[in-house]
Amino acid sequence: MTLHALSAARRCAMGALVVICFSADARLVWSQTPFTAVGLGTPVLPIDARAAGMGGTGLGLLDGGSLSARNPADMGFYVRPVIGITYSPESISVKGPGQDLDSGRSRLGVLRGAVPFDDWTLGVAFASELDQDWQIEFADTLRSALGTFPFTEQRVSDGGVSSVNFTLTRRVAGVSLGVEYGIITGNLRQLFLRDFEADTADFQNRIAASAATTSWSYAGSRVRVGAATDVTDRIRLSADVSLQGDLTAERDSLDVLVQSTSFQMPTAFEAGASARVTPRILVSGAAGWTGWSGTEGSSAEFVASDVVWFGLGAELTGARLLGANVPLRFGLRRTDLPFHAPGTTQPTETAITVGFGLRVGAEQAKLDVAFEFGSRGDLAESGVEESFKRLSLSLALFQR
Amino acid sequence: MKKVLLVLATVLAAGSCTEDSLVGVDPTSPPGPSSETVELSIAVGDLPLWKDTTFVGYAVPSSSGIQLIATEPALTSRVLGRFSTLPDSIFVDTVRLAVERYESARLRLIVDSLAGPVLPDSGTELRMHGLTRGFDEREASWTEARAGESWTTPGGDLADLLGSVRVDSLQDTLFVPISVDSDSLLSDWLANDGELGYAVSSSADGSNLSLTALALVFDVKPEGQDTLIEVVRGPQPSTFIFSPMTPPPGEELRLGGLPASRVYIRFELPDTLDGVPLRGSRINRASVIFKSLGGPPDPFMTTDTLFASIFDLLTDPFEFGPKTPVGQNFGNFIELDPDVLATGGELDLNVTQLTQAWASAPADSLPDLRIGIRTLPEGGGVGYWEFGDISDPATAPRLVFLVTPPTEFSVP
């Protein structure tokens, strides 16, 4: 018996597929990998467009607050029922040694509503937590004793982790205290497809394709408590801490469990504040820490590190469009990313942000728009690098 | 309520994220679940079970689509036949009238010009003789008129010359005029169901003509009519005899020839091969590789490109023998390239479909792995190819697989 290793000679061109040829280097192992494919994926900022335009803050914002899925205590400042939804498409460019590869993704970042009554507020929020969406295609060639078969291979990861959060807030002596119970859920579909062309020497000599697919379902829980208060009518402070149980991923086939694995999920602290420094200028800042370093993968494909993040932003009011007040926003933010390849440095994400808001419908509805321009990682240091441009669109009712 | 919210959240999670494909990722390090396609090879002697054999007789000259007339150093062949369906009456307009007289007759030969007819520079003469001994069309050979009854003269006991034609150049259609009294000859054949038959041969060395059709064309005079009517009748039966006769196969595996040979195989596969699982894996390709023993001796060596096909066997051929019922064909026709096979090359027999069914079947209902291989069409010529069998490791068949083991999915 003989076992021949697959002779995988790269094709440097095949139609629209362009294969980048270079010698493998340990630090380049992850190159051209979208960040959503690293570790448990990319943590999704659960913020609305107002927060996104102000440096990704979203904690303790004055003047209408934020429908971000952060501190539940921030919901305690609403006096009328409120609901908002945020949609965030982004284009990315994954950097490679020879060529950048462009792609795009979109996600429903957060859907949040709150109903105040007396000193209490009940709320619910659906939020994206971890984005694991990615798909790649590449071309290669299988050389064998039976022929030379070019092939294209597609690998797809479709899904991620999201949460359903139930919040209860009470205002006590000017302080809003909030508690939130989050059900962590989600699913992930994985697909592998290798489609062979005919033998390069004989078009009638063909081999069958390979394909496999599976689905995972996620389950977990989280408790978050927070507090927020208006120190003065111009300054609001907000802080929260969240504790998570393990995230369980289960794979079944015909309703029979075939595989299960668990991940320790992190404890997180975050705090923020906003201040109206002039009648027309609101500044905000927020920072946080998430203890991802306790999370270990089921394989040695990645390491996880703690995350520190911060954001700074400002909102200028007074600009008008068609007679309506249009607040203008800008900011910047920086965050560590939790997952990276062994032997590489922890990647960071930085972005500058701009945005604006528009009240419509007798000012009962509010449309916020934010643009973020940033980058993640560093090809030389962390082995993965991508730049991104993100648009955030939020539509809210009765947000005041 | 919680269930509704969870469902809503799941729907939102599933629909909330979409990603365009990254095209052109470096193939040495793509992320995500995959499984390498590996090439595996095993000699049939290392399989848990391998039985092979050659069965003969699936086509004989009388049932083949050709008829050979040859006078070559390596091959002599004659066509034998009987015109057993001559009419004694004939329709004229709407009236059937008795045949008063067979006025004239000629033998019409359609030459297969694509089969590489050979004619010496000096041309040849095609001769039609009567026979002095009848023959059995399924058993007739160069030496025997029927089983156990030898010709007095090998090649057929020829009687008088019935007609001949000089052939100086190749033509698609040839006519051999009957030079004896047509009425007497055809009346005799009519009275005796064509017995004892006729033989057609070539006189000059170096000729070889393959016929696709042969017929008797004759003019009859109906009773009470002055006109002659042309009638065509084919021989029934028709065959050809040739020398040397095809040697019986030995242990080697033979495809083709006359009588036609098939290779029947039964085998079993191991669950794993070199540590790679076959059962449960995706069989991208499975091939039985035959090693040619080179060209057989003349005249059984062929320069024509033949084709073969693989088919399923419904029962064990080693119990039921040559009449084992056959099932579906697998895959495309397989080209038997004389340039490759004459030099000891290999023949790739694609058995992917069969092994895929085996690899994906439940362990308690594994299909039997049995195949037959035959040439297409069977009996298309006297040439055949021989391949090594399991008895000689140097030329024994082997199996080659391209296998993708089950993908191991994981979240990181």
Side-chain angles (χ1 to χ4, degrees), chain B residues 116-183:
Chain B
V118 178
L119 197 64
D121 293 340
S122 58
T124 189
E125 185 178 67
L126 294 181
R127 296 173 176 169
M128 182 183 187
H129 287 85
L131 292 173
T132 59
R133 184 189 300 272
F135 64 92
D136 182 294
E137 68 274 12
R138 291 193 61 83
E139 298 171 352
S141 67
W142 191 258
T143 56
E144 292 186 328
R146 55 176 53 86
E149 181 183 335
S150 299
W151 299 109
T152 305
T153 303
D157 296 342
L158 305 184
D160 297 336
L161 183 68
L162 303 178
S164 65
V165 66
R166 182 75 196 168
V167 181
D168 293 318
S169 61
L170 285 172
Q171 301 166 49
D172 289 340
T173 305
L174 301 170
F175 289 94
V176 181
I178 302 297
S179 55
V180 299
D181 180 61
S182 298
D183 189 51

Side-chain angles (χ1 to χ4, degrees), chain B residues 16-71:
Chain B
S16 64
C17 300
T18 59
E19 176 105 6
D20 297 334
S21 183
L22 277 177
V23 177
V25 171
D26 170 36
T28 62
S29 59
S34 181
S35 185
E36 188 179 27
T37 302
V38 296
E39 182 180 340
L40 304 167
S41 176
I42 184 171
V44 295
D46 295 328
L47 291 174
L49 174 71
W50 175 274
K51 295 169 84 172
D52 56 32
T53 190
T54 299
F55 289 131
V56 180
Y58 296 96
V60 292
S62 62
S63 61
S64 74
I66 63 161
Q67 299 178 79
L68 279 180
I69 302 173
T71 312

Side-chain angles (χ1 to χ4, degrees), chain B residues 250-274:
Chain B
E251 289 187 333
E252 64 276 2
L253 305 175
R254 181 185 294 180
L255 281 177
L258 273 172
S261 301
R262 294 179 182 177
V263 174
Y264 280 15
I265 296 169
R266 180 183 162 206
F267 62 103
E268 292 178 2
L269 294 173
D271 284 351
T272 62
L273 187 56
D274 288 326

Side-chain angles (χ1 to χ4, degrees), chain B residues 300-354:
Chain B
F300 304 107
M301 174 85 173
T302 179
T303 56
D304 295 336
T305 298
L306 307 180
F307 291 90
S309 74
I310 306 170
F311 53 91
D312 191 18
L313 296 173
L314 301 182
T315 58
D316 185 357
F318 297 93
E319 288 185 20
F320 286 82
K323 295 187 177 179
T324 300
V326 304
Q328 62 173 336
N329 283 324
F330 293 126
N332 299 324
F333 296 160
I334 302 158
E335 184 177 317
L336 304 177
D337 186 343
D339 294 336
V340 173
L341 299 182
T343 55
E346 293 182 333
L347 182 65
D348 181 340
L349 302 167
N350 189 337
V351 292
T352 306
Q353 189 178 345
L354 182 68

